[in-house]
Amino acid sequence: MPTTADLQSFIFSKAYINGQWVSAESGQHFSVLNPADGTEITQVPDMGATDTRIAIEAAEKAQAEWSSLTAKQRSQYLQQWADLIEENIDVLALLLTTEQGKTLAQSQGEVRSSINYIRWSAHEAMRINGEVLPSSRSSHFEYALKLPVGVVGAITPWNFPNSMIARKVAPALAAGCAVVIKPAEDTPLSALALAHLAAAAGFPAGVFNVVTAQHGQAVGAELCANPIVRKLSFTGSTAVGKLLYEQCAPTVKKLSLELGGNAPFIVFDDADLDLAVEGALTMKFYNSGQACISVNRLFAHESIHDAFVKKLTERLQGYTLGVGTDEKATHGPLINQQALHKVTEIVDTAKQQGAQVTIGGTARTDLGPNFFDFTVLTEATPGMELFNTEIFGPVVPVYRFSTDDEVLALANDTNYGLAAYFYTENTSRTFRFGRALEYGMVGVNTTSFVSETMPFGGVKESGLGREGSQQGIEEFLETHYVCIQNKD
Ligand code: ADP
């Protein structure tokens, strides 16, 4: 376990632009709070459009040099960055827990996943191949290069403050792009610590910039409007994603959007119930339900409904809510007061609309300001408000169904299309639902599929583009076609 002094040495109170630790041009700051107890960890600069412009211009200058390095050189920088993150994994995990709340074990897992994304991108950097094209004329030689898209803006959320940066920035850097990152206001410290390690890894000044701000609007508007930025990669709410989409139209920027979800989790009558219970627990309560791929609607076949709910509730009694640094805690608090109020309201409304609380159902103010109990709601019906609400908390509503056609229609009855899960032992169902669920990612008898090797992303209003796999790098590349005529 790192000491308080180790942690302090990883807490940065300035933003990082053009290789320098800097304050906001306005001189303004804002507080970063520990969600477990509401205490202030530090203050960071509250930056705006001017600071963002300075960062973008620094990135543009750095981009020229960075993109002219060989793929192997860029790969070596990334590996060096990953090595330093790995050396400091314990303190980075503690920092993550301190600003975000999840348990140390979950934070370790998140930082490990960042390392995996960075190493994957370091390898992929060396496989950015173009194409020699079969020309339609024997006198011509034609080829297509893959070139970096240009300066990248990255806006990240608070639920995975470390790995969301790695997932965007590592492939961008691998492709030859310089980046300007705007981390979430609740969790800017992991981003700044990663910038510190990027500096230690020797990335040239201006390649990796972090702009902090209390409200995303001004920084976001500049990242969208500035023509130097050629690509914006955003993870966050659907409402903000739609706004950024609009704001990027005037400069026809490339966009990746990882937005909200409304994940169905279907337990068929032939499912392995123990496996399904474990899957539901993992993917509903991981990060206290604060993930866009969290189970949001659990559909249990009427013949196994009661047995499933009983097992789920029993297993939940073995979970312990608590401060993330406490070894006994299996799950931590919600991110802030606003989140707590939202989850409380969702549960209260569902109760008024007829849902039954099987376990939990209330805030746990005895533990701290932002804790909400593990909650199972039964008798949930599609007419209830929470059917179309991204819960983002440790609350699982259970819906009954009787036929395959009925549950398929219910599962697809949403504007979202990020992740879906189902549990069955039946091969025909596996093929039918594997294909027919209108989601970017489908887990069959599993919920743990997120890794650097898979294309993470959604369809419908859950977003555009993919992170991870080879597609994750493609997002930061342009195709550049060249046609040469042989005059002889
Ligand atoms: P959440 O509701 O999960 O906090 P948001 O979409 O509000 O999701 O936040 C995700 C990220 O988007 C954060 O970094 C936040 O600061 C940023 N953000 C919020 N509003 C805007 C905006 N208008 N323009 C650009 N970024 C924004």
Side-chain angles (χ1 to χ4, degrees):
M1 180 85 167
T3 63
T4 310
D6 295 333
L7 178 63
Q8 284 305 323
S9 69
F10 268 76
I11 294 177
F12 296 90
S13 301
K14 291 200 167 173
Y16 187 71
I17 297 177
N18 202 19
Q20 307 287 324
W21 293 99
V22 292
S23 303
E25 179 243 358
S26 66
Q28 300 293 307
H29 293 88
F30 66 97
S31 298
V32 183
L33 307 180
N34 181 334
D37 58 13
T39 56
E40 181 181 272
I41 307 167
T42 188
Q43 296 192 348
V44 296
D46 187 9
M47 295 187 140
T50 308
D51 306 285
T52 310
R53 207 167 304 131
I54 292 168
I56 293 170
E57 283 163 12
E60 184 185 32
K61 284 210 186 77
Q63 164 86 36
E65 182 195 338
W66 182 245
S67 61
S68 69
L69 296 181
T70 63
K72 188 174 175 189
Q73 285 170 319
R74 284 199 298 273
S75 178
Q76 282 165 342
Y77 278 109
L78 285 164
Q79 291 287 17
Q80 177 67 14
W81 189 33
D83 288 345
L84 291 172
I85 294 172
E86 199 153 22
E87 272 169 36
N88 292 286
I89 188 166
D90 290 337
V91 68
L92 288 169
L94 178 59
L95 179 68
L96 210 171
T97 293
T98 308
E99 70 171 343
Q100 200 276 337
K102 66 182 56 144
T103 60
L104 279 178
Q106 290 187 14
S107 292
Q108 290 261 357
E110 181 176 336
V111 181
R112 173 76 42 207
S113 131
S114 296
I115 295 165
N116 291 340
Y117 275 97
I118 296 168
R119 294 210 193 281
W120 171 269
S121 299
H123 292 137
E124 287 299 308
M126 294 192 281
R127 295 189 206 106
I128 299 174
N129 300 324
E131 256 184 303
V132 175
L133 304 163
S135 180
S136 55
R137 293 155 295 186
S138 55
S139 57
H140 288 62
F141 180 67
E142 299 172 47
Y143 57 94
L145 298 174
K146 293 280 184 182
L147 297 181
V149 62
V151 170
V152 169
I155 302 180
T156 55
W158 48 262
N159 55 349
F160 295 95
N162 192 298
S163 66
M164 286 292 160
I165 302 218
R167 280 161 62 142
K168 295 182 188 308
V169 167
L173 295 173
C177 303
V179 296
V180 178
I181 304 159
K182 208 297 284 169
E185 52 275 28
D186 288 298
T187 57
L189 302 180
S190 292
L192 295 171
L194 288 173
H196 162 68
L197 293 178
F203 282 94
V207 167
F208 191 117
N209 305 279
V210 181
V211 174
T212 52
Q214 184 165 21
H215 305 287
Q217 289 87 336
V219 175
E222 181 62 30
L223 285 172
C224 293
N226 196 312
I228 297 170
V229 178
R230 291 311 315 147
K231 160 98 193 185
L232 186 77
S233 179
F234 170 77
T235 300
S237 62
T238 300
V240 173
K242 287 180 180 178
L243 175 73
L244 298 176
Y245 205 168
E246 265 180 51
Q247 289 181 350
C248 283
T251 51
V252 195
K253 258 187 229 339
K254 282 187 177 295
L255 266 178
S256 292
L257 300 173
E258 297 288 352
L259 309 179
N262 188 2
F265 182 106
I266 306 169
V267 190
F268 287 102
D269 52 0
D270 63 344
D272 175 333
L273 277 200
D274 290 322
L275 192 67
V277 166
E278 288 315 308
L281 286 168
T282 306
M283 202 32 87
K284 174 69 251 185
F285 296 101
Y286 183 73
N287 203 18
S288 296
Q290 302 171 110
C292 46
I293 57 169
S294 278
V295 175
N296 213 51
R297 295 172 298 156
L298 199 151
F299 298 103
H301 188 267
E302 58 191 3
S303 67
I304 50 87
H305 174 279
D306 294 352
F308 181 84
V309 170
K310 185 163 177 280
K311 276 179 190 276
L312 187 74
T313 311
E314 279 167 9
R315 281 282 287 109
L316 264 180
Q317 279 156 2
Y319 277 11
T320 309
L321 260 188
V323 175
T325 46
D326 179 348
E327 274 182 10
K328 289 198 270 327
T330 56
H331 294 78
L334 296 180
I335 188 68
N336 55 30
Q337 284 283 285
Q338 207 188 342
L340 189 86
H341 291 144
K342 189 189 145 204
V343 173
T344 307
E345 203 176 297
I346 289 171
V347 171
D348 289 348
T349 307
K351 275 162 47 185
Q352 281 158 22
Q353 293 179 337
Q356 300 289 317
V357 177
T358 304
I359 187 171
T362 51
R364 288 287 306 275
T365 43
D366 54 314
L367 297 173
N370 301 321
F371 288 87
F372 198 91
D373 220 347
F374 308 113
T375 301
V376 177
L377 299 175
T378 53
E379 308 310 325
T381 60
M384 291 178 183
E385 208 171 297
L386 86 173
F387 189 81
N388 288 307
T389 307
E390 192 176 18
I391 298 169
F392 242 64
V395 177
V396 59
V398 186
Y399 302 82
R400 284 174 203 266
F401 73 93
S402 47
T403 69
D404 286 18
D405 287 347
E406 176 197 4
V407 78
L408 180 60
L410 286 171
N412 285 338
D413 183 15
T414 169
N415 293 336
Y416 291 111
L418 193 58
Y421 314 93
F422 64 92
Y423 282 68
T424 184
E425 302 285 297
N426 178 309
T427 315
S428 305
R429 261 186 194 139
T430 300
F431 278 94
R432 180 180 180 205
F433 279 75
R435 169 87 194 223
L437 285 166
E438 295 164 356
Y439 289 82
M441 301 171 282
V442 179
V444 188
N445 295 329
T446 182
T447 54
S448 70
F449 53 44
V450 176
S451 90
E452 69 282 5
T453 61
M454 55 94 67
F456 187 106
V459 299
K460 292 158 84 176
E461 292 184 21
S462 286
L464 300 171
R466 295 292 181 270
E467 288 181 346
S469 79
Q470 212 191 356
Q471 289 186 43
I473 299 229
E474 281 290 327
E475 299 283 334
F476 299 99
L477 295 168
E478 293 273 30
T479 299
H480 184 90
Y481 162 77
V482 179
C483 178
I484 305 169
Q485 181 178 193
N486 185 353
K487 289 197 290 168
D488 299 332

